């Protein structure tokens, strides 16, 4: 019999507002234990998933599985980039944007069965001021919402919606200078999303034609729009037609610089961070293996 593959399951106990006390038991029931030898670790602080994944590389694990949302995936993926060690995903977040795009089931048992197949896809990785992202990075309105949501006591889609409504009531557009593959654009924007995959999560598609393995990032500029048009904007997001809105401009590129008047929050796969006024964004093609 072939030697069993060693897999580290990194569990974020608070992602998506769901308790995961019985998760280890479910893994042992569904995972093919003739093929895999699982180890479990729970995260206890910010960046802990990154640290655990880095240790897994040194300890020569065959795979690391993120049990959490896009933020947990980001930490582990950032550690595994260019390592050749694949990332597995058990989606347990508020949005699960990357998992939904890759067709990874939201049902835990079904997602574990995908691990049993141990088949991979190679995906591109975005870099924003040297911080990795695999789904979407953004600034403007959505970054402000992520910043608010991070401190909210209510998790999941309801908490995110509450944060969005609170920010929307007082948010103002900002001016940006963008350079995409050498061409410069001056824009006043409600928000700018740089998309590696098409959707934020919960099947809200900001960049319907984006692909994680085309070697490009889609720069999605959402222009100022009248508030009465908000229902139509939401319709476009969930109907995969954002690119058809008169208020949305999408520019694909590989080498992107965004200049704003001052620093502030940027979300990286949904997690808010503070970055400088100049953002340098690049693509690292097919640099991460994901089990799907």
């Amino acid at each position: 019999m072939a030697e069993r593959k060693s897999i580290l399951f990194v569990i974020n106990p608070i992602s998506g507002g769901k308790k995961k006390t019985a998760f280890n038991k479910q893994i042992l029931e569904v995972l093919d234990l003739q093929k895999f030898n699982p180890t479990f670790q729970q995260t206890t602080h910010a960046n802990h998933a990154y640290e655990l994944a880095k240790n897994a590389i040194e300890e020569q694990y065959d795979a690391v599985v993120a049990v959490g949302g896009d933020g947990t995936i980001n930490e582990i993926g950032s550690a595994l980039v260019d390592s050749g060690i694949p990332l597995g995903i058990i989606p347990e977040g508020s949005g699960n944007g990357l998992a939904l795009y890759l067709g990874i089931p939201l049902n835990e048992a079904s997602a574990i069965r995908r691990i049993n197949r141990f088949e991979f896809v190679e995906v591109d990785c975005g870099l924003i001021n040297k911080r990795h992202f695999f789904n979407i990075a953004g600034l403007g309105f959505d970054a402000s919402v992520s910043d608010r949501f991070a401190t909210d006591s209510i998790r999941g889609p309801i908490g995110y919606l509450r944060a969005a409504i609170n920010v929307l009531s007082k948010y103002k557009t900002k001016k940006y200078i963008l350079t995409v593959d050498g061409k410069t654009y001056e824009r006043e924007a409600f928000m700018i999303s740089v998309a590696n995959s098409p959707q934020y999560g919960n099947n809200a598609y900001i960049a319907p034609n984006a692909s994680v393995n085309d070697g490009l990032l889609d720069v999605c500029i959402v222009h100022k729009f009248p508030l009465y048009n908000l229902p139509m904007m939401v319709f476009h997001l969930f109907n995969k037609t954002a690119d058809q809105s008169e208020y949305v401009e999408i520019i694909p590129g590989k080498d992107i610089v965004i200049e704003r008047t001052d620093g502030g929050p940027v979300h990286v796969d949904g997690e808010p961070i503070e970055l400088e006024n100049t953002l340098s964004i690049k693509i690292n093609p097919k640099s991460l293996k994901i089990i799907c």
Side-chain angles (χ1 to χ4, degrees), residues 6-186:
S6 57
I7 297 187
L8 174 63
F9 288 84
V10 178
I11 303 165
N12 182 339
I14 63 170
S15 62
K18 293 171 62 178
K19 291 185 178 179
K20 304 173 186 68
T21 49
F23 184 78
N24 295 21
K25 182 174 179 287
Q26 187 173 22
I27 282 283
L28 295 173
E29 289 173 352
V30 181
L31 191 71
D32 187 343
L33 298 179
Q34 292 187 329
K35 290 170 63 176
F36 303 107
N37 178 27
T39 303
F40 307 97
Q41 292 270 11
Q42 283 207 357
T43 59
T44 58
H45 55 268
N47 220 39
H48 193 193
Y50 177 87
E51 296 163 7
L52 293 171
K54 277 294 186 187
N55 290 339
I57 296 172
E58 293 177 11
E59 294 168 14
Q60 298 184 317
Y61 274 83
D62 294 297
V64 182
V65 177
V67 184
D70 287 328
T72 308
I73 292 165
N74 178 279
E75 286 192 26
I76 296 172
S78 297
L80 298 182
V81 162
D82 293 323
S83 72
I85 296 175
L87 165 70
I89 299 173
I90 310 294
E92 296 282 0
S94 300
N96 303 307
L98 188 61
L100 285 167
Y101 170 69
L102 292 172
I104 296 171
L106 299 186
N107 174 271
E108 289 174 351
S110 298
I112 296 165
R113 292 188 189 100
R114 289 292 179 95
I115 306 295
N116 286 338
R117 294 185 346 188
F118 215 66
E119 297 174 354
F120 326 117
V121 62
E122 289 185 317
V123 305
D124 303 335
C125 162
L127 287 159
I128 179 165
N129 287 19
K130 300 183 179 178
R131 289 286 301 261
H132 295 91
F133 65 96
F134 305 93
N135 195 46
I136 293 177
L139 57 157
F141 173 74
D142 58 346
S144 297
V145 172
S146 293
D147 198 35
R148 176 69 177 259
F149 179 60
T151 59
D152 203 324
S153 59
I154 299 177
R155 308 305 294 167
I158 292 174
Y160 194 86
L161 180 61
R162 188 173 83 160
I165 292 169
N166 286 335
V167 172
L168 183 63
S169 64
K170 50 186 176 296
Y171 188 77
K172 291 182 171 56
T173 57
K174 293 179 173 61
K175 292 183 178 179
Y176 302 93
I177 299 173
L178 303 92
T179 304
V180 181
D181 292 344
K183 187 172 181 180
T184 299
Y185 308 81
E186 291 189 27

Side-chain angles (χ1 to χ4, degrees), residues 188-192 206 220-225 233 247-248:
E188 183 173 344
F190 179 70
M191 66 183 193
I192 299 174
I206 185 63
C220 308
I221 305 165
V222 178
H223 299 284
K224 185 177 181 180
F225 58 88
M233 298 294 287
Y247 301 107
V248 177

